[in-house]
Amino acid sequence: MELRIIDHPLVDHKLTLLRSRDTDQPTFRRLTEELVTLLAYEATREVRTEQHTVTTPVSPTVGSRLTAPQPLVVPILRAGLGMLEGMTRLMPSADVGFVGMVRNEETLQPVTYAERLPHDLSGRQCYVLDPMLATGGSLGGTVNFLVDRGADDITAICLLAAPEGVEKMRELTAHLSVPLRLVVAAVDERLDEHGYIVPGLGDAGDRLYGAAE
């Protein structure tokens, strides 16, 4: 697994605003979308393209376009939904699928509780969206789920990661033979005893959508 930490002044600026407990919910949503678009610019460097001829108002020319099948964007429910608009703004022709993952409290393994994806992902590049890579179970489980469906190239995009989550991802995906990238704005210090990233930004899902009852 390749880890990319995006070093850019605007990424740092928007992440700093997201971290602040004084940032209200509407602003948090907007900043998340903006930050994801910046991360997606770097995350899509390997997106597959082909030559394509177009005619400008002056003359024909050769450019490029995304190949078929279109890339598949997969937000992990629920917090990943807050990243979807920022991703599709950059790549509006991409298809979108959804995965819901929870941890089985007895086995401690990730379990899929919901999914809306093509059954066959053969030849598909997938972009997985999950704001916080904390323990790594949900993201690692989703990546394995997509590979089992046939995906042959996966990029995961997270706002923040903990070192423990990065290592867990490496462990859970070590056996995979497909290209795998993890693109993040920052890797923070650690996880606390409650599984929150420190210093982090709190619970991304709650800050996007309100506290779940």
Side-chain angles (χ1 to χ4, degrees):
M1 182 186 76
E2 177 190 355
L3 173 64
R4 295 182 187 171
I5 304 172
I6 305 305
D7 180 17
H8 191 284
L10 285 178
V11 170
D12 293 342
H13 167 70
K14 294 181 187 298
L15 179 57
T16 299
L17 295 175
L18 280 172
R19 289 186 190 276
S20 174
R21 65 183 182 182
D22 297 326
T23 298
D24 61 29
Q25 189 177 79
T27 304
F28 191 92
R29 289 177 180 172
R30 175 178 56 80
L31 287 167
T32 297
E33 293 176 5
E34 293 172 356
L35 180 53
V36 170
T37 299
L38 291 173
L39 296 178
Y41 179 80
E42 293 294 335
T44 54
R45 285 191 178 276
E46 286 79 17
V47 70
R48 294 168 184 158
T49 61
E50 61 186 2
Q51 286 191 337
H52 180 63
T53 300
V54 296
T55 301
T56 78
V58 179
S59 70
T61 187
V62 177
S64 62
R65 66 179 178 184
L66 298 182
T67 59
Q70 291 291 313
L72 181 68
V73 178
V74 183
I76 299 179
L77 303 175
R78 71 176 167 143
L81 290 174
M83 303 172 68
L84 181 57
E85 181 67 25
M87 186 71 185
T88 55
R89 181 181 296 123
L90 186 70
M91 201 161 52
S93 62
D95 293 334
V96 178
F98 302 92
V99 170
M101 283 273 177
V102 293
R103 185 176 71 169
N104 184 306
E105 294 303 326
E106 294 182 1
T107 66
L108 302 182
Q109 298 301 310
V111 177
T112 305
Y113 71 85
E115 62 93 358
R116 186 71 172 177
L117 295 166
H119 183 72
D120 184 5
L121 294 177
S122 299
R124 268 318 214 353
Q125 282 186 297
C126 294
Y127 294 87
V128 184
L129 309 179
D130 196 13
M132 312 294 284
L133 176 55
T135 61
S138 295
L139 185 57
T142 298
V143 168
N144 278 280
F145 183 81
L146 295 174
V147 173
D148 288 344
R149 286 281 179 97
D152 65 357
D153 188 285
I154 297 179
T155 301
I157 303 175
C158 302
L159 306 182
L160 287 177
E164 296 92 334
V166 174
E167 289 309 306
K168 187 65 174 180
M169 273 290 293
R170 293 190 190 278
E171 174 188 330
L172 292 174
T173 61
H175 64 287
L176 300 180
S177 58
V178 305
L180 173 61
R181 303 164 207 93
L182 174 61
V183 178
V184 301
V187 176
D188 277 4
E189 297 173 11
R190 58 183 173 84
L191 292 180
D192 68 12
E193 63 274 17
H194 303 293
Y196 283 97
I197 298 175
V198 179
L201 49 76
D203 187 300
D206 287 353
R207 297 194 68 184
L208 283 163
Y209 302 117
E213 296 296 336

